[in-house]
């Protein structure tokens, strides 16, 4: 089983990846056409469901844009 790859930032410091068992797949899409898919844990799936536009698109940030990703989640067969 894979583990959750979400990296949390706290007070501007990036912490290690979550590491809990990945039970869901998240797919984020921004208005500029970038897509990102990750394997995530139940805790992060709940967070993305509660606030689906809470993720900044990393690719847009590198290009100098402040664009939010809309994230959807789906349970995996391993859940």
């Amino acid at each position: 089983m894979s583990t959750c790859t979400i990296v949390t930032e706290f007070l501007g410091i990036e912490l290690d990846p979550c590491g809990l068992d990945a039970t869901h797949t998240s797919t984020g899409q921004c208005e500029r056409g970038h897509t990102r898919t990750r394997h995530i844990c139940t805790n992060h799936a709940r967070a993305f469901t509660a606030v689906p536009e809470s993720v900044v698109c990393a690719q847009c940030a590198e290009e100098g844009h402040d664009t939010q990703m809309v994230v959807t989640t789906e349970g995996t067969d391993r859940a």
Side-chain angles (χ1 to χ4, degrees), residues 1-77:
M1 177 175 279
S2 62
T3 59
C4 182
T5 58
I6 299 295
V7 174
T8 303
E9 185 178 309
F10 181 70
L11 298 175
I13 300 168
E14 280 194 7
L15 305 174
D16 290 333
C18 172
L20 294 175
D21 289 341
T23 56
H24 292 73
T25 300
S26 71
T27 302
Q29 288 190 305
C30 78
E31 64 189 39
R32 298 178 60 82
H34 301 129
T35 301
R36 179 176 66 196
T37 300
R38 292 180 167 180
H39 298 291
I40 62 173
C41 67
T42 300
N43 293 340
H44 282 107
R46 286 183 189 141
F48 290 140
T49 300
V51 187
E53 297 182 4
S54 64
V55 177
V56 173
C57 177
Q59 226 173 323
C60 283
E62 289 175 8
E63 296 170 359
H65 305 286
D66 185 22
T67 308
Q68 301 293 313
M69 292 195 114
V70 176
V71 178
T72 56
T73 61
E74 182 176 307
T76 62
D77 292 339

